[in-house]
Amino acid sequence: MIHQVLINGILAGLTWGLLAVGFTLIYRVVRFFHVAYATTYLVGAYAGVWVIQQGIVDVVLAALIATGVAALVGCVIELAIYKPLRRRGSSDLVLLLASLAVVAVGQNVIALLFGSEIQVANLGELQRTIRVAGMSMTIWQATTAILSIVLSASVWFVVNSTVFGRELRAVAADRTLATAIGVRVDYTILFTIACGSALAGITGFLVACDTAVTPFSGFAVLLTTVTAAIIGGIGSIRGAMLGGLFVGIAQHLGAWMLTPQWQDAIVFLILIAFLLVKPEGFLGKSSKTATI
């Protein structure tokens, strides 16, 4: 029994890790909590599930549509809201409040367009249960786990081993200095938000096809994602994946030892413990100041 609980925790943790990687990627350049990440998650989930429900495309194309639509919405948020506010010299608090407003508007627009009912996608054979080393999972869950590992590793490679990654790190370190050495700051921020939003969109689609999605589930997902990012070390790509695994395993062990109702409460209790004892997380760096 414990082996099945652990494998379920790892499968969930890889998903949380991918979400935390996307959130961390954006946080590194915008330096505030991009709460509207929940909106791009929902947009991706609904876009992918809807085209499958209509029988328009197959699963692969639906995943690409979910990714693209979420990236587009992320770009719209940056160009229509964040960028104008930055040009006016708005504080991080103002940007955070604007992000919260996007979440409120976004979930209500989705509810208006698709209704408040739970949305599910029928994937047929992909939802068949298989057994690996005596443990059960669906083909879709196995696919989700593999994609999560590949995409997270790809992000880490891009950030640490490419020209764009060097530009991203330069913007994250000092925007003024980055501009002085020729880095296109606005373009780097836009492209980073697009990439992070794409990760949220594809993850939203993967989760929605495995379980379900509602217009108001995005914020709860965001809270757990932020928890994973903080536990891993906010700003660290590897830490985000590690934090996601930690959260996933903690959730399922808590549900197994206590009741499912304690699943989220245990995660937040762990978060409080980390903030008190090790606020920099697993792989984060100690700092005397922090930005919301």
Side-chain angles (χ1 to χ4, degrees):
M1 181 64 180
I2 184 63
H3 297 90
Q4 186 63 54
V5 172
L6 288 175
I7 194 64
N8 290 342
I10 291 171
L11 291 171
L14 289 171
T15 303
W16 290 126
L18 181 58
L19 276 171
V21 166
F23 180 84
T24 296
L25 187 68
I26 295 175
Y27 176 83
R28 288 184 69 162
V29 297
V30 300
R31 305 308 296 177
F32 72 92
F33 279 7
H34 172 56
V35 182
Y37 193 69
T39 301
T40 53
Y41 170 90
L42 284 176
V43 167
Y46 270 88
V49 169
W50 184 80
V51 295
I52 288 180
Q53 289 175 338
Q54 305 306 310
I56 299 174
V57 297
D58 61 14
V59 173
V60 175
L61 285 177
L64 293 175
I65 288 171
T67 304
V69 171
L72 178 61
V73 170
C75 289
V76 170
I77 293 171
E78 159 62 14
L79 294 174
I81 301 175
Y82 292 164
K83 186 176 179 179
L85 287 174
R86 285 199 308 272
R87 285 184 171 177
R88 295 175 186 174
S90 299
S91 66
D92 291 339
L93 178 60
V94 172
L95 289 165
L96 175 62
L97 292 174
S99 190
L100 283 168
V102 170
V103 174
V105 172
Q107 65 185 16
N108 282 284
V109 168
I110 290 173
L112 181 65
L113 293 175
F114 299 98
S116 300
E117 299 81 11
I118 294 174
Q119 300 291 326
V120 296
N122 182 10
L123 301 181
E125 186 67 13
L126 289 173
Q127 291 173 323
R128 179 171 60 87
T129 299
I130 58 175
R131 292 186 67 81
V132 178
M135 294 170 286
S136 300
M137 69 183 75
T138 65
I139 296 175
W140 187 253
Q141 287 173 334
T143 302
T144 299
I146 293 170
L147 277 176
S148 297
I149 294 171
V150 170
L151 290 174
S152 297
S154 298
V155 171
W156 180 86
F157 175 80
V158 168
V159 170
N160 291 280
S161 305
T162 66
V163 173
F164 170 73
R166 288 195 292 272
E167 292 180 347
L168 185 154
R169 297 197 306 273
V171 173
D174 191 315
R175 291 182 188 176
T176 303
L177 182 58
T179 302
I181 62 175
V183 176
R184 294 172 294 175
V185 173
D186 286 339
Y187 170 80
T188 301
I189 293 174
L190 176 64
F191 192 71
T192 302
I193 289 178
C195 291
S197 299
L199 292 176
I202 184 63
T203 311
F205 172 70
L206 293 170
V207 173
C209 288
D210 182 42
T211 53
V213 65
T214 70
F216 306 103
S217 61
F219 199 73
V221 169
L222 175 73
L223 289 176
T224 308
T225 300
V226 172
T227 299
I230 292 174
I231 289 175
I234 192 69
S236 169
I237 301 297
R238 290 184 301 161
M241 201 63 191
L242 185 60
L245 283 169
F246 187 86
V247 166
I249 293 172
Q251 281 182 322
H252 283 77
L253 282 176
W256 177 60
M257 291 186 294
L258 300 172
T259 63
Q261 287 78 10
W262 278 88
Q263 202 172 50
D264 293 332
I266 289 173
V267 172
F268 293 124
L269 286 172
I270 294 172
L271 172 61
I272 292 172
F274 265 85
L275 291 175
L276 291 173
V277 178
K278 191 175 174 60
E280 70 273 16
F282 287 128
L283 301 180
K285 297 179 180 179
S286 300
S287 176
K288 294 182 179 180
T289 61
T291 302
I292 295 178

